[in-house]
Amino acid sequence: MRSLTKLIEAALFAAARPVTIDELAGLDPEAGEHDVRAALDELRLAYDAGGHGIEVVELADGFQILTRRECAEAIAEARLVHRPRKLSAAALETLAIIAYRQPVGRADIEQIRGVQADGVLRMLQERGLIDVVGRGEGIGRPLLYGTTAAFLELLGLKDLSELPRLEELSVALKPPGEVR
Amino acid sequence: MRSLTKLIEAALFAAARPVTIDELAGLDPEAGEHDVRAALDELRLAYDAGGHGIEVVELADGFQILTRRECAEAIAEARLVHRPRKLSAAALETLAIIAYRQPVGRADIEQIRGVQADGVLRMLQERGLIDVVGRGEGIGRPLLYGTTAAFLELLGLKDLSELPRLEELSVALKPPGEVR
Amino acid sequence: MSMAAPVQVADRPFLVQLDAFSGPLDLLLHLIREQEIDIADIPIGRIADQFLAAIHQLGLNEAADYLEMAAYLLRIKVAMLLPRPLGDDEWEDPRAELVRRLLEYEQIREIADWVSRQAGERSDRFARGLLPEAAELPPPPLLLDLQELLATAERLVEGLPGQVLHRVVPRPLDTEGATLRIRELLATRERFDLLELLGSAPTVTDVISCLIALLELARLGELIVSQDVPFGSVAITRAVAHEAH
C-alpha cells in the first residue's frame, strides 16, 4: 500500500463521515486530485481482493468507509450496533413528495397526501432530513421545504439525480402544470 | 480472509465501544473463543502485512480498530476530524434574538423561543459568539447578553449597523427571480 | 352524518386492518385495489359507502382528514346523480379530480416504497461507531452564514404572537409582580398558603408567574416551599437565615 493510501485509509477511518477529495488531498502537500483518486482505488481494491468486512463507498458528501451489507445481520444480532429506526409510512410519503417537488410548501404536501402535515414536517426537520429552503408567494409567505444532504446520506445516494425518474415509475403521471 | 475474520472486522469497525472476545463470539453461533482469537490474529496480520493505516488494538475493556499513530499528525493537520460545524437551529435562533435585541436577558430569549435557553447560551458563550454585557433590573438582576467581535468577524461584518434591518428581510430572502 | 351502525356493504365483504393506513387516500386506494376496481371508472356510490363504513369501523370517524375525504366522496356521488344534458360533449366527469389525486398519490407511494427500500439497504452498512476522542482538541471552527441568521430572525419574528418585539400590552401578573407580592407577604407573615398568594380568580399567567417567582425565591434561599400531604395545600415558609442576593 502506498503511503498516501495508508494515510487516506486512516483519515477516512478517523473522520467517520464522508470526506471530500479536496480534504483528502490536504493530507499530503504534494498530492493532487489524481493521486487521491488513484489511492482510493488502491484502497478499494485492497478491501475487495482481501475479502474485508468493510468497503470504500462514495456518498453525497464524499468518500466513507462502511461495513459491507452482508455483515449487517450478524452485527445487529450480536447487539453490537443499533440499527436506525425505520421511518413511518407518513414520513416516507412526505419525504417522497418533498424530494420530487422541492421547493414545496406544506399546503401542497397536505393536498397530495390528504392529511395534515405539520407533525411529520417537524419530525423530518428535527431529524435533519428536510429543511426550509425559502418562502413561497401568497398569504403568509409559506415556508418551502427541500431535502438535505442527510436525506441523501440516509439513502446512500450521491445526489438527487440518483432518485428514480418519474418515467420509470409504473404509475404514469406528469408533474402538475403539465396535466391541465 | 475467513468469513469470521470479515465479520469481526466489520463488527469492530461499527461498534461504538471496544468489544470483548465473548461479544465477538456472538457473531457466529459456531465460533468459540479460540476461533475468535485466531480471526483477530488474521486481521492483525492482514493490516500489518498490507501496510494499512489502521491496526487492531487490545485494551482493558476489549478490542478495537484504531488509526496508526504515525498517521495522526497528517490527519490533524488536514483538519479532517475537525470539520467546521454549523450551528444548530436552536443556537442560530438564540443568536438571532441576541443580535437584534441586545442587550437581552435569558428570560426574554426564552419567552420568544418558548424553550429553555441556558444550555444554548452557555455554548454560544463558550464559542465566544456572545458575552455578558451587563445586568438588568428585577429579581436577581439577570445577566444581559450581547454579541461579540468574533460574531461580527464570523459574518464578515464591520459592526452591528451592517446587520440588515428586519424590514428588509422579506425581500432579501426571496430568490432573485421572484422579486418584482 | 348518522353513523350509528356500520353501513352494510354491497357485493363482497372487505377487510381492513387497524393502523394500516397512512391517510384517507391510502384507505381509498386499498378499497379500490381490493375490489379490483378500474380507477378510471370508480363506482363512486359504493366506494363512498364503503369508505364511511371503514372509517367507522376503524374508529376514524372523528379524524378530520378522513371526514374531509368522506364529504368529498359524497359531493362527487351527488354530482354524479345530477342529470346530464344529453349529447353534451362538454360534460366533465365529477370523478376526474379524484382520479388525478389517486394517481398522484399512488405515484408518491411508489416513490415512498423505493425510498424505504433504499434506506433499508443503506442502514445495512454501518459507519464507524467508535468516534475519535476530541477532548484535547480545540472546538471545531464554526460556519455561520448571514443569510441563514436573517432567515432565522425573520422566522422568529413571524412566529411571534403579535409583535412581542415591541410589545406594550398590559399583563395580568408577571414574574416580577409575583415576586413583589410574595416578598410583601413574607415581610408580614412567616407562613402562608399558595392559594392565598394566588387570590380568588387567578389566570393561567398568574399561576405560572407565581410558581416561577416561588421557585426563583426558593432557589435564592428566601423561602421554603412545602407540601405536607400529597395533593394537599402548598405552604410557603419564610426561610430562617434570610440573605438578600
Side-chain angles (χ1 to χ4, degrees), chain B residues 93-179:
Chain B
E93 285 183 17
T94 308
L95 202 53
I97 294 168
I98 296 174
Y100 282 94
R101 293 200 77 190
Q102 55 191 313
V104 59
R106 197 186 71 186
D108 281 346
I109 297 167
E110 290 180 342
Q111 189 181 358
I112 294 173
R113 292 198 50 235
V115 277
Q116 292 223 338
D118 11 0
V120 179
L121 284 172
R122 204 176 327 115
M123 188 277 283
L124 290 172
Q125 210 176 350
E126 275 166 13
R127 279 302 178 86
L129 296 173
I130 62 166
D131 213 345
V132 174
V133 294
R135 311 206 98 183
E137 303 292 308
I139 326 160
R141 314 225 33 238
L143 301 175
L144 298 180
Y145 296 89
T147 53
T148 61
F151 166 79
L152 292 174
E153 200 180 312
L154 209 53
L155 290 178
L157 303 179
K158 256 183 289 186
D159 53 59
L160 280 174
S161 69
E162 287 190 45
L163 268 182
R165 294 183 314 171
L166 283 180
E167 305 88 86
E168 295 166 358
L169 286 182
S170 50
V171 179
L173 282 174
K174 280 188 191 173
E178 281 176 38
V179 183

Side-chain angles (χ1 to χ4, degrees), chain C residues 3-225:
Chain C
M3 294 283 304
V7 178
Q8 210 54 48
V9 175
D11 300 22
R12 27 159 127 185
F14 61 94
L15 291 169
V16 274
Q17 287 158 358
L18 217 71
D19 276 346
F21 301 99
S22 66
L25 282 164
D26 192 13
L27 173 55
L28 199 55
L29 261 188
H30 171 83
L31 293 175
I32 289 170
R33 282 208 193 118
E34 207 185 46
Q35 300 169 81
E36 291 169 8
I37 290 170
D38 176 8
I39 207 159
D41 188 21
I42 300 169
I44 199 75
R46 190 173 95 205
I47 284 292
D49 289 345
Q50 290 177 349
F51 187 85
L52 283 170
I55 65 175
H56 181 78
Q57 184 189 332
L58 293 171
L60 291 170
N61 46 349
E62 282 181 26
D65 300 327
Y66 286 86
L67 283 185
E68 212 180 296
M69 176 59 69
Y72 178 53
L73 293 176
L74 291 176
R75 273 203 309 278
I76 300 174
K77 179 178 168 182
V78 170
M80 291 291 284
L81 295 175
L82 292 177
R84 111 174 65 148
L86 268 178
D88 185 355
D89 290 339
E90 293 297 291
W91 184 78
E92 198 189 331
D93 193 325
R95 300 169 298 183
E97 172 68 11
L98 177 66
V99 171
R100 191 195 62 78
R101 284 187 65 183
L102 280 170
L103 284 174
E104 180 177 56
Y105 180 70
E106 227 182 348
Q107 195 177 54
I108 290 300
R109 283 292 300 270
E110 195 177 336
I111 298 166
D113 286 346
W114 184 86
V115 167
S116 174
R117 267 197 316 277
Q118 195 72 21
E121 283 186 11
R122 172 62 188 87
S123 74
D124 278 346
R125 293 196 296 196
F126 307 128
R128 188 189 176 197
L130 195 64
L131 291 176
E133 277 293 331
E136 295 141 40
L137 298 165
L142 269 181
L143 283 181
L144 184 59
D145 178 60
L146 187 56
Q147 194 75 356
E148 202 174 15
L149 183 77
L150 298 179
T152 307
E154 202 198 29
R155 203 165 67 224
L156 278 168
V157 172
E158 297 218 341
L160 292 176
Q163 277 291 350
V164 175
L165 287 178
H166 313 287
R167 181 187 47 190
V168 205
V169 289
R171 282 181 281 181
L173 181 61
D174 58 16
T175 319
E176 231 161 282
T179 310
L180 274 177
R181 191 188 282 182
I182 295 165
R183 283 203 170 123
E184 273 165 22
L185 277 165
L186 279 178
T188 53
R189 299 167 59 184
E190 199 167 299
R191 183 185 170 94
F192 56 90
D193 198 80
L194 176 63
L195 294 177
E196 293 177 70
L197 170 64
L198 292 175
S200 52
T203 65
V204 177
T205 321
D206 288 342
V207 176
I208 293 169
S209 299
C210 285
L211 288 178
I212 293 172
L214 279 175
L215 292 174
E216 180 66 16
L217 290 172
R219 193 181 66 79
L220 293 173
E222 293 191 36
L223 52 79
I224 295 160
V225 182

Side-chain angles (χ1 to χ4, degrees), chain B residues 21 24 61 69 90 142 158:
Chain B
I21 297 267
L24 290 174
D61 38 5
R69 199 156 291 160
K158 256 183 289 186

